[in-house]
Amino acid sequence: MVMKNRKLSLTAVLLIVFFACLVTFMTTFVLLRSSYEAKLGDDIVSGEQSESGIDFDKLLEVDTYVRANFIGAVDYELAMQYMLDGYMYALGDKYSVYHTAEEMQELMNESNGDLVGIGVRVFQDDATGGIRILNVMHDSPAMEAGLQVGDVIVKVDDLEVTADNYNTAVNNVVGEAGTELTVTILRDGETAELTMTRRLVRSEAVFLEMQGNNTALIRIYEFTGNAAEDFIAAMEEAKSAGAERYVFDVRNNPGGDLGVIVSILDYLLPEGPIVRIVDASGEVVHTYTSDESDVVAPMVVLINENTASAAELFTSALLDYDKCVTVGQTTYGKGVMQNIITLPDGSGIRLTTHYYNPPYSENYNGIGIPADYEVQMDASAIADPALDTQLQKALSLLTGEESGN
């Protein structure tokens, strides 16, 4: 399951991380000392501080005192996790993080286009605080059990879902493969109980909805896993259905993999640059390019404040080639990329290493991409086409005198 509109208190998170790291960092980093000494040599770590800036002797002194005097037991596995969390946090980059082995496995599954759960995309329902179904994936436990778009999950097993425990309820839906889940749903004012078994599901991130007037609406929820092949398949299906104009919806799309977005833009764009990869010194170290084949048709891209990363590259690249206009709200503003490094024990780090620039325009990191036609709208309205004023504006641009080209 993929969650939308998750609400967290940034201040609370930062305080928790700060104090946890303050307490555990100095008492546990010494566990790495012997390993570092073996790799770096006594000449590097001798004295009060190593060349890396880490004061191993001070850490050893604190750890020795803790071992001799602390009245409780130290959970060194947990402490190591906090220590590494704190190290990455100290970089001052919100995109660079440490992942446990379990989190790394989830990342790999997502990158491969697989997820464990029931196969739905959801967001919080404003009216009930419950889990509203945005999409149901094919060949999934949710589809087999009869879950439908627009259903609201109001109870997860024995947990009544409220606005206060929404995140907990969503986590309870995910669970482990092979385990059983019973949910109570609200549909058309009536409740029903559905039971399903969680399993590995092929993630679907691209959905086609024909809108009439030969207009195709293609919603892209993330650029990971199978998204490139699914996007091209959706485009071909739309063409077969007579599509002559397109609305691409990347609202709430958090981004994804570079290879996926490059493949999609290669399909859409004429010959030329797609993205320029820039290192910390400002040097362009690589440019991805498109071949000469492209899609020539009126296009509108729907964006909002949660359109980020690869979804912003999708938008800016189409704009750079005068392929589209945009409707919605200014995007998030993430123009940097991360590498994921797996460590020997299966854990890993996600580290910001480069900027990525659009084909011709400037990088939008920290700024975002403003909409050509700004339309303010509550996030929950996306699930109801009758209330989706951003979509209605896009359709009017395509079917009226103004077009996306």
Side-chain angles (χ1 to χ4, degrees), residues 252-320:
N252 301 320
N253 184 320
D257 299 335
L258 179 63
V260 172
I261 184 61
V262 166
S263 295
I264 289 175
L265 287 173
D266 184 22
Y267 177 89
L268 292 171
L269 299 178
E271 185 174 7
I274 294 175
V275 58
R276 296 167 288 146
I277 308 302
V278 181
D279 65 15
S281 69
E283 180 182 354
V284 177
V285 296
H286 189 76
T287 299
Y288 290 87
T289 59
S290 174
D291 60 25
E292 62 183 10
S293 65
D294 68 336
V295 176
V296 179
M299 301 175 187
V300 176
V301 179
L302 294 174
I303 57 176
N304 66 6
E305 68 277 11
N306 296 318
T307 300
S309 192
E312 291 175 287
L313 176 59
F314 176 87
T315 305
S316 61
L318 290 176
L319 287 170
D320 280 0

Side-chain angles (χ1 to χ4, degrees), residues 13 27 32 55 142 158 181 189 191 207 255 294 297 318 328 352 402:
V13 171
T27 61
L32 294 179
D55 190 340
D158 295 326
L181 170 71
T191 59
F207 294 84
D294 68 336
L318 290 176
T352 299
E402 295 179 88

Side-chain angles (χ1 to χ4, degrees), residues 34-98:
S34 59
S35 173
Y36 272 93
E37 287 180 342
K39 293 179 180 179
L40 302 179
D42 291 338
D43 57 326
I44 293 179
V45 297
S46 62
E48 294 184 354
Q49 195 171 33
S50 72
E51 289 184 1
S52 69
I54 300 170
D55 190 340
F56 289 99
D57 288 335
K58 185 175 182 178
L59 292 171
L60 178 60
E61 182 179 358
V62 171
D63 183 68
T64 300
Y65 187 84
V66 169
R67 289 173 182 269
N69 297 280
F70 182 52
I71 63 173
V74 179
D75 184 340
Y76 281 103
E77 182 177 351
L78 179 62
M80 180 66 74
Q81 179 180 332
Y82 279 132
M83 178 193 69
L84 293 170
D85 284 338
Y87 184 88
M88 300 304 291
Y89 172 72
L91 299 179
D93 174 39
K94 59 185 175 182
Y95 306 120
S96 295
V97 294
Y98 167 73

Side-chain angles (χ1 to χ4, degrees), residues 190-210:
E190 297 184 0
T191 59
E193 193 173 273
L194 302 175
T195 298
M196 60 207 81
T197 301
R198 304 174 180 94
R199 68 167 185 265
L200 191 67
V201 179
R202 181 186 186 277
S203 177
E204 292 180 323
V206 180
F207 294 84
L208 168 66
E209 303 170 22
M210 294 301 295

Side-chain angles (χ1 to χ4, degrees), residues 213-371:
N213 296 316
N214 297 325
T215 302
L217 167 63
I218 298 181
R219 301 186 191 270
I220 314 168
Y221 290 100
E222 58 189 0
F223 293 97
T224 59
N226 313 293
E229 60 188 83
D230 289 350
F231 176 83
I232 293 171
M235 288 292 295
E236 296 301 317
E237 181 180 346
K239 290 178 184 178
S240 298
E244 298 175 356
R245 53 187 70 88
Y246 299 89
V247 177
F248 299 122
D249 186 358
V250 291
R251 293 172 297 181
N252 301 320
N253 184 320
D257 299 335
L258 179 63
V260 172
I261 184 61
V262 166
S263 295
I264 289 175
L265 287 173
D266 184 22
Y267 177 89
L268 292 171
L269 299 178
E271 185 174 7
I274 294 175
V275 58
R276 296 167 288 146
I277 308 302
V278 181
D279 65 15
S281 69
E283 180 182 354
V284 177
V285 296
H286 189 76
T287 299
Y288 290 87
T289 59
S290 174
D291 60 25
E292 62 183 10
S293 65
D294 68 336
V295 176
V296 179
M299 301 175 187
V300 176
V301 179
L302 294 174
I303 57 176
N304 66 6
E305 68 277 11
N306 296 318
T307 300
S309 192
E312 291 175 287
L313 176 59
F314 176 87
T315 305
S316 61
L318 290 176
L319 287 170
D320 280 0
Y321 282 91
D322 294 322
K323 284 281 191 181
C324 74
V325 295
T326 56
V327 173
Q329 297 160 267
T330 300
T331 63
Y332 180 82
K334 181 179 182 290
V336 293
M337 60 184 295
Q338 289 71 45
N339 281 336
I340 297 178
I341 299 94
T342 302
L343 301 175
D345 67 350
S347 63
I349 60 172
R350 184 200 302 258
L351 186 68
T352 299
T353 56
H354 293 84
Y355 293 92
Y356 58 87
N357 291 351
Y360 299 109
S361 56
E362 295 298 317
N363 193 292
Y364 40 77
N365 192 57
I367 302 170
I369 304 168

